[in-house]
Amino acid sequence: MRAYTRASAWTAGTFVVLVAVVLVSATIGSVSIPVQTVTFAALDALALPTSLSMSMATRPLPLVGAIPLPVLDVGYTSPLNFAVPGTTQYIVGSLRMPRIVLGATVGAGLAVAGTVMQGFFRNPMADPSIIGVSSGAAVAAVTALTLPALLPFGVQTAAFVGALAAAFTVYALATQNGRTPVATLLLAGVAVQTFLGAVTSFVVVHSGESIEQAMYWLMGRLNGARWHEVELVLPTIVIGSVILFAYARDMNVLLAGEEDAHTLGVDVERTKRILLVVSSIVTAAAVSVAGIIGFVGLVVPHAMRLLVGPDHRVLLPTSAMMGGAFLVVADTIARSQPAQLPVGIVTAFVGAPFFLYLLRDREVHSL
């Protein structure tokens, strides 16, 4: 009980930090808005689902062509009504908040997946892309951008499917006789990442006029975010994070080694499969809407482990909050430049020196 009380206290504290970062970020832009006005506008933007309807829309499918498919339409109503000017409400609620909330969601997902990977491999150098998720997403996304006839169902869907396909390929290659040795999984991940990186480079070289779009996606971006993207990715990341948190105790036991974990009653192989599948889905969802964003899933879990300790019951939720805050800050810096930068550039500029500092001044050989 004491551990969960500590987890609740740390989670509440980091959640306050995340909310403060989100509100301050929304005040920054070409039009400066007071934080109080931003708070009222953000509360006005909160809406509850109040109606549900079904409609038909035409969607292209490979080898089939355009066919009508049912689409679920959800109506929302805001329960609050503060006196915020219409222009300000539009800037905050329709332009800035979708990007900020998407950044917080993606950052949280990458941090949670990074925490799981570091615990799974018992290596603080691990990150969410270690089993090829990001590389698979990159191949599929770049192909969808440069050769849309091959993948006509959109960049986000292609990236999500490609990420999962790469992760499950690595898992299949590393699994023998129902067992998945961690070392074999790591080596398979490195090999698949290298191969998929070469495929991505080949596609980019032959992308012609689409090369700018492809490179921009590969550098990670949140610009142009809309609420429908948040609606797509938020449930997946939240549900996945909750499932991973439910296995926090098993992850703590796995840190002692697989043999000890088996002795203590943990179904090691089943737990490893669930952790790999769920963390891969969370990472795939994050990458599909934001592109390749490095260092969030590497630096944030490592820094939080130094702060709150290795207990995953505390580490997972706090890493999620601070991962979201870190990416929001990075994206605020990116969009505040005269020429907006891809957020992946900023996370690399900030994350790489910070991680080198941790390597020099902290003990990182064990969790």
Side-chain angles (χ1 to χ4, degrees):
M1 187 66 182
R2 184 178 177 182
Y4 286 104
T5 301
R6 181 168 173 265
S8 299
W10 272 105
T11 303
T14 51
F15 177 74
V16 170
V17 172
L18 174 59
V19 172
V21 167
V22 166
L23 293 177
V24 171
S25 176
T27 67
I28 299 172
S30 57
V31 177
S32 181
I33 303 173
V35 68
Q36 182 179 4
T37 305
V38 164
T39 304
F40 290 155
L43 291 173
D44 274 348
L46 295 176
L48 301 175
T50 54
S51 65
L52 192 64
S53 62
M54 186 79 70
S55 63
M56 300 299 292
T58 302
R59 292 288 186 270
L61 292 179
L63 306 178
V64 177
I67 63 171
L69 293 174
V71 177
L72 196 62
D73 297 317
V74 182
Y76 294 91
T77 302
S78 175
L80 303 173
N81 187 22
F82 290 100
V84 179
T87 303
T88 302
Q89 181 64 55
Y90 176 76
I91 292 173
V92 174
S94 299
L95 297 180
R96 294 183 185 173
M97 272 300 173
R99 179 169 179 166
I100 293 169
V101 174
L102 184 65
T105 304
V106 169
L110 292 175
V112 166
T115 302
V116 172
M117 288 295 100
Q118 290 179 7
F120 183 93
F121 288 99
R122 283 179 287 168
N123 187 338
M125 299 293 288
D127 73 350
S129 65
I130 197 168
I131 57 172
V133 178
S134 297
S135 300
V139 171
V142 170
T143 302
L145 286 168
T146 59
L147 300 168
L150 293 180
L151 297 174
F153 38 80
V155 176
Q156 293 178 358
T157 303
F160 184 77
V161 173
L164 293 184
F168 291 138
T169 298
V170 170
Y171 176 77
L173 290 171
T175 301
Q176 296 180 349
N177 301 321
R179 296 187 67 254
T180 310
V182 171
T184 305
L185 186 70
L186 179 61
L187 293 174
V190 171
V192 170
Q193 280 190 78
T194 303
F195 174 76
L196 293 178
V199 174
T200 301
S201 299
F202 177 83
V203 176
V204 169
V205 167
H206 294 83
S207 59
E209 295 179 357
S210 302
I211 188 170
E212 184 177 349
Q213 285 181 290
M215 293 303 298
Y216 201 67
W217 191 93
L218 291 172
M219 290 186 285
R221 81 287 180 273
L222 293 169
N223 59 308
R226 294 293 180 262
W227 284 116
H228 74 88
E229 293 176 310
V230 178
E231 293 171 1
L232 285 174
V233 73
L234 181 61
T236 302
I237 290 180
V238 169
I239 294 172
S241 299
V242 170
I243 294 172
L244 293 173
F245 180 74
Y247 281 84
R249 177 188 171 277
D250 290 348
M251 281 188 275
N252 288 342
V253 177
L254 282 172
L255 292 178
E258 293 186 12
E259 291 185 3
D260 291 341
H262 182 75
T263 303
L264 293 172
V266 175
D267 188 337
V268 174
E269 293 303 320
R270 177 177 178 272
T271 300
K272 286 161 64 175
R273 284 195 298 270
I274 292 173
L275 293 179
L276 282 174
V277 169
V278 177
S279 61
S280 296
I281 292 173
V282 169
T283 305
V287 172
S288 67
V289 296
I292 309 299
I293 299 177
F295 285 99
V296 179
L298 180 65
V299 171
V300 173
H302 188 76
M304 293 309 298
R305 185 176 286 106
L306 295 175
L307 183 62
V308 305
D311 188 345
H312 286 88
R313 292 171 293 184
V314 184
L315 184 59
L316 278 170
T318 54
S319 293
M321 298 300 139
M322 296 309 293
F326 175 72
L327 191 54
V328 169
V329 171
D331 187 55
T332 303
I333 296 171
R335 65 181 173 84
S336 299
Q337 304 306 307
Q340 289 195 25
L341 296 174
V343 68
I345 294 178
V346 178
T347 59
F349 268 126
V350 175
F354 180 67
F355 193 67
L356 289 174
Y357 162 76
L358 292 177
L359 286 175
R360 286 185 58 84
D361 294 339
R362 302 285 182 175
E363 178 63 48
V364 298
H365 301 296
S366 60
L367 293 174

